[in-house]
Amino acid sequence: MEKKIGYTQGTFDMFHIGHLNLIRNAKKHCDYLIVGVNADDLVESYKNKRPIVPLEERAEIVRAIRYVDEVIVTTTLDKKQVKVHFNEIYIGDDWKGNARWEKTGKEMEELGAKLVFLPYTKDTSSTMLREKLKEF
């Protein structure tokens, strides 16, 4: 039987339980999990701010997680341009119904990959952590 290769991607700035839950849940769906860590310039292009934790450190943190089999640095949000092969792509279910992800799901199907929505961890995000830090 062919190994199921999974892929998820994110910034993983100020790594928190929501990040861990996404990665852990993704690994439950596949035999081999590849995690894309967004490059600083990419993050700045869509969030209009740079990550607090440098790229190399964010990648090293993700690489150290036992559920992760491979880490790549990504410079695009376009999943068709990601330079690795995967059978499934994972994203939090908070993106369900989002036009960009509906389009991505169709594109992935055309390429033979399936978009899988995983439970989103509410009440924590890097943005929330960033806002909390401003209070100090």
Side-chain angles (χ1 to χ4, degrees):
M1 190 169 117
E2 186 184 336
K3 268 187 171 178
K4 187 188 292 182
I5 301 169
Y7 178 75
T8 193
Q9 178 177 334
T11 304
F12 304 106
D13 196 20
M14 294 187 290
F15 199 89
H16 55 72
I17 193 66
H19 295 139
L20 182 61
N21 287 342
L22 174 68
I23 290 169
R24 182 186 307 135
N25 288 331
K27 182 62 177 186
K28 289 178 184 175
H29 286 81
C30 64
D31 302 302
Y32 189 85
L33 180 61
I34 302 168
V35 179
V37 177
N38 295 340
D40 291 348
D41 290 345
L42 174 62
V43 175
E44 195 165 25
S45 75
Y46 68 90
K47 288 191 176 189
N48 297 316
K49 57 189 174 195
R50 291 188 82 74
I52 290 173
V53 178
L55 172 61
E56 296 77 20
E57 292 178 21
R58 291 184 286 119
E60 192 59 33
I61 290 165
V62 173
R63 195 174 288 114
I65 298 166
R66 68 177 173 197
Y67 309 108
V68 176
D69 296 295
E70 183 179 340
V71 171
I72 63 168
V73 171
T74 53
T75 57
T76 180
L77 294 177
D78 185 347
K79 305 306 179 251
K80 296 181 314 248
Q81 292 183 20
V82 174
K83 302 285 190 239
V84 292
H85 165 76
F86 52 85
N87 309 101
E88 292 186 346
I89 184 168
Y90 310 110
I91 187 72
D93 62 9
D94 56 318
W95 289 101
K96 238 181 205 171
N98 173 281
R100 181 170 73 91
W101 278 101
E102 294 297 322
K103 180 178 182 253
T104 298
K106 288 182 178 77
E107 291 171 348
M108 293 299 96
E109 272 181 36
E110 291 168 11
L111 296 173
K114 180 179 162 190
L115 174 61
V116 178
F117 289 99
L118 299 176
Y120 175 72
T121 304
K122 292 170 180 51
D123 302 326
T124 188
S125 73
S126 296
T127 301
M128 283 184 208
L129 291 173
R130 195 183 272 252
E131 291 304 312
K132 277 272 191 222
L133 288 172
K134 286 181 184 174
E135 294 174 13
F136 293 99

